[in-house]
Amino acid sequence: MKIDTDCPSVSIIIINKNYGKFISEAINSAIKQDYCNFEIIVVDDGSTDESASIIKGFADEGYIQSFSTNSRGPSGARNKGIKNAKGSYLAFLDSDDMFLPDKISSQVFYMKSNELTASYSKVQIWLQERVAASDNPIPSLNLSFETFLKKPLGVGGYLMSTMMIRRDLLTSTQQFDEKLTCGEDYDFASRIFLLKKKYLQDKIGSIIRIHSKNLSANSEMVFNSDCFRWVENFLTFHSNHISSKERFIYIFRAWLGCSKISVKRFSISSILKDLRFFKLVFKLTRNNRA
C-alpha cells in the first residue's frame, strides 16, 4: 500500500488503569506499527499494580512519552493525552487491547483518500489469553447523527481502540466528558461522527480483549447513571438539529432501555427516578432549539 509522501504525524494515545498484565503487549503493538511518523503517549490513571514500572521501562528506552493522572477516569486520561499530543492525527488505544501492524498506515491512507476528519475500523475479539472469539466486524454500523439519534444507549461496538481523528477537529466542547466513567466513548463519538459519510474502514485494525475486569468494570448501575448524562449531553449539543418529535422518541427509547435494567434489578425507585430525569431533560432542552 502506498502512503502519501508527506506522511502526516500521528499521536497514539494509550490509557491505562491497573492493566499491568496487558500493557506491554499494547505498547509493543504501537511500537511495531509500519507507519513512518508517529509518537506514543501513555497516560496512567493512578494504577496501583506493576503498571508504573513497566511504563517507566518503555519511557526510559525512549519508545514512549509517559504521563499520569490521579484517578480521573478514562475521559480524564484521554484528555491528558490529547493535551500533550503533537500529531496531526490522534489514534486511541486502551491498554488491554492491541493494534495490528498496519493499523495506523492503512487508516491514515483511508482518511486521506476519502477526505475524512475521523474514522474507525473493524476489530477482532479475543477472549482472555489469546483465544480468538470472533473475526466478525464490530462495530458494523456506520455511525452518523441518525445512528446516535436512533440508538441512544449505544450500538454495542468497540470504538476507542479503533478510532482515529484529526487533532484540529477537537475543540473544548468536543473532548471527553470527565464526569462520565461509562459510555464516554459513545458520548464523544456522538459529537464527532455527524455527517452521512462512510466513517467505517472495511478492515480489521485492532484486537479487543474481553476479560473479567473489563466486563465487570461498567456495572449496570453505573451504566444507568452515566446514561442520563450522555443523553443530556446529546440533546444539549444537538439542540438545533432535533425536532420536538425526535426529542420525545429519543428520550423515550433511552428511558425504556434504562428502565429495563432497573426492572432487572427489581428497583422500582430507580424506574421512577429514570422517568423523572428524562422528563426533566426534555423540559430543559426543548427550549434550547433555535
Side-chain angles (χ1 to χ4, degrees), residues 9 11 39 41 65 81-82 84-90 167:
S9 57
S11 297
E39 64 175 1
I41 296 172
Q65 301 175 57
I82 292 170
N84 290 279
K86 298 180 176 64
S88 299
Y89 290 79
L90 305 178
R167 186 161 63 95

Side-chain angles (χ1 to χ4, degrees), residues 26-35 38 40 99-102:
I27 294 175
N28 277 318
S29 77
I31 292 172
K32 294 176 181 177
Q33 289 299 297
D34 64 6
Y35 192 60
F38 66 93
I40 302 171
F99 284 162
L100 296 182
D102 64 343

Side-chain angles (χ1 to χ4, degrees), residues 92 120 139 143 148 155 157-163 185-186 189 193:
F92 300 94
Y120 60 103
L143 297 180
F148 295 104
V155 296
Y158 301 89
L159 285 172
M160 288 318 306
S161 291
T162 77
M163 191 183 299
D185 54 347
Y186 197 63
F193 301 106

Side-chain angles (χ1 to χ4, degrees), residues 60-259:
D60 289 346
E61 293 181 23
Y63 289 116
I64 66 170
Q65 301 175 57
S66 64
F67 300 91
S68 62
T69 51
N70 186 18
S71 298
R72 287 170 57 186
S75 293
R78 291 192 186 102
N79 285 341
K80 179 81 169 183
I82 292 170
K83 181 180 179 181
N84 290 279
K86 298 180 176 64
S88 299
Y89 290 79
L90 305 178
F92 300 94
L93 177 62
D94 291 345
S95 58
D96 53 341
D97 299 331
M98 288 171 283
F99 284 162
L100 296 182
D102 64 343
K103 196 269 187 187
I104 298 299
S105 59
S106 64
Q107 200 162 6
V108 170
F109 180 78
Y110 174 74
M111 289 178 64
K112 290 176 69 64
S113 298
N114 292 280
E115 299 183 345
L116 295 174
T117 56
S119 70
Y120 60 103
S121 61
K122 297 179 179 179
V123 304
Q124 181 183 19
I125 303 297
W126 279 8
L127 294 177
Q128 292 290 344
E129 298 299 324
R130 304 188 181 208
V131 179
S134 172
D135 290 331
N136 293 332
I138 302 174
S140 58
L141 293 177
N142 187 42
L143 297 180
S144 67
F145 174 74
E146 287 76 14
T147 307
F148 295 104
L149 191 61
K150 293 178 181 178
K151 302 282 186 179
L153 301 191
V155 296
Y158 301 89
L159 285 172
M160 288 318 306
S161 291
T162 77
M163 191 183 299
M164 180 181 286
I165 61 175
R166 265 193 5 214
R167 186 161 63 95
D168 60 8
L169 179 66
L170 295 183
T171 65
S172 59
T173 60
Q174 288 180 303
Q175 295 191 20
F176 291 88
D177 184 345
E178 297 190 16
K179 292 185 178 180
L180 288 173
T181 57
C182 175
E184 80 289 340
D185 54 347
Y186 197 63
D187 173 73
F188 177 76
S190 72
R191 300 189 294 276
I192 300 300
F193 301 106
L194 299 181
L195 304 176
K196 293 182 179 179
K197 290 187 176 182
K198 190 178 183 297
Y199 293 112
L200 174 59
Q201 182 187 13
D202 190 19
K203 183 182 186 303
I204 295 176
S206 305
I207 295 170
I208 306 297
R209 198 192 308 262
I210 303 298
H211 53 92
S212 58
K213 284 190 176 181
N214 66 13
L215 288 175
S216 63
N218 294 326
S219 68
E220 290 177 341
M221 186 175 296
V222 173
F223 177 87
N224 262 19
S225 176
D226 282 2
C227 173
F228 301 157
R229 182 168 179 86
W230 86 62
V231 165
E232 186 173 21
N233 285 351
F234 182 85
L235 292 174
T236 301
F237 188 83
H238 298 294
S239 59
N240 293 331
H241 304 94
I242 308 175
S243 68
S244 296
K245 180 181 178 180
E246 288 173 328
R247 180 179 294 102
F248 175 81
I249 295 173
Y250 177 84
I251 293 170
F252 177 76
R253 284 171 174 163
W255 169 75
L256 185 62
C258 288
S259 293

